[in-house]
């Protein structure tokens, strides 16, 4: 049996939260670059203003709006990701396409990114099962292998150097 003290658990949870923030910073920088190149017309870091938002960013391209959630790890691409019940519901119900941005191998201002396929079909399949659980049984989310998300090619990310003033 694995042993973890309350302090060790708190430290691990803090590292996960910090890593999530760093992953979102990488994606924000990525979108700033896409906007300056004219590849997206607009974007917003939604979870920066609303910590309980069921998506982290939205962006617009060719008059369409897209939603995305960032899932970051310092480890490899294949590490499982947690998708919350509210995220699954928005993936299924949103009028806008919803994607997972898998940020991995985060280290020293560098990271890698792969973008999932549209998440609606996966969310529909998972929610069908979760909603059929016996009365009195529920789930607040699921762990999912990124290998089933239909992710595209790897994109290298780098944090811009801070501007000296």
């Amino acid at each position: 049996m694995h042993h973890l003290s309350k302090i060790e658990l708190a430290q691990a949870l803090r590292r996960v939260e910090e890593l999530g923030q760093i992953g979102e910073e990488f994606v924000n920088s990525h979108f700033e670059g896409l906007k300056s190149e004219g590849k997206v017309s607009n974007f917003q870091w939604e979870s920066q203003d609303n910590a309980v938002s069921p998506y982290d960013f939205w962006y617009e391209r060719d008059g369409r709006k897209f939603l995305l959630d960032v899932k970051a790890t310092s480890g490899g691409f294949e590490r499982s990701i947690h998708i919350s019940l509210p995220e699954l519901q928005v993936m299924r119900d949103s009028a806008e396409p919803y994607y997972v941005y898998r940020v991995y191998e985060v280290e020293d201002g560098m990271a890698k990114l792969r973008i999932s396929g549209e998440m609606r079909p996966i969310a529909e399949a998972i929610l069908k099962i979760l909603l059929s659980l016996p009365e009195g049984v529920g789930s607040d989310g699921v762990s999912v292998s990124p290998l089933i998300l239909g992710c595209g090619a790897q994109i290298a990310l780098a944090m811009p150097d801070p501007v000296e003033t």
Side-chain angles (χ1 to χ4, degrees), residues 54-55 67 83-99 118-132:
Y55 54 91
L67 308 179
I83 302 177
S84 71
L85 186 60
E87 289 167 346
L88 287 166
Q89 290 167 329
V90 172
M91 288 173 185
R92 179 193 64 193
D93 299 339
S94 174
E96 294 87 10
Y98 193 118
Y99 296 89
E118 216 280 307
M119 291 296 295
R120 186 180 322 274
I122 292 170
E124 286 173 344
I126 294 169
L127 285 167
K128 187 174 183 182
I129 293 166
L130 292 182
L131 297 174
S132 69

Side-chain angles (χ1 to χ4, degrees), residues 30-87:
H30 177 66
F31 274 109
E32 286 175 350
L34 292 175
K35 188 174 180 184
S36 71
E37 296 167 12
K39 294 180 179 174
V40 298
S41 54
N42 201 5
F43 75 95
Q44 182 168 325
W45 187 352
E46 192 71 27
S47 62
Q48 190 74 340
D49 300 321
N50 178 8
V52 295
S53 173
Y55 54 91
D56 294 325
F57 289 83
W58 60 260
Y59 68 95
E60 291 177 351
R61 184 180 65 220
D62 302 326
R64 289 192 67 198
K65 187 173 181 180
F66 301 85
L67 308 179
L68 69 99
D69 195 48
V70 177
K71 302 293 184 182
T73 181
S74 57
F77 169 79
E78 64 288 335
R79 279 209 184 149
S80 289
I81 61 174
H82 179 80
I83 302 177
S84 71
L85 186 60
E87 289 167 346

Side-chain angles (χ1 to χ4, degrees), residues 23 25 38 66 71 78-79 102 141 144 149 151:
E25 289 172 8
F66 301 85
K71 302 293 184 182
E78 64 288 335
R79 279 209 184 149
R102 177 54 157 169
V144 176
L149 301 182
C151 291

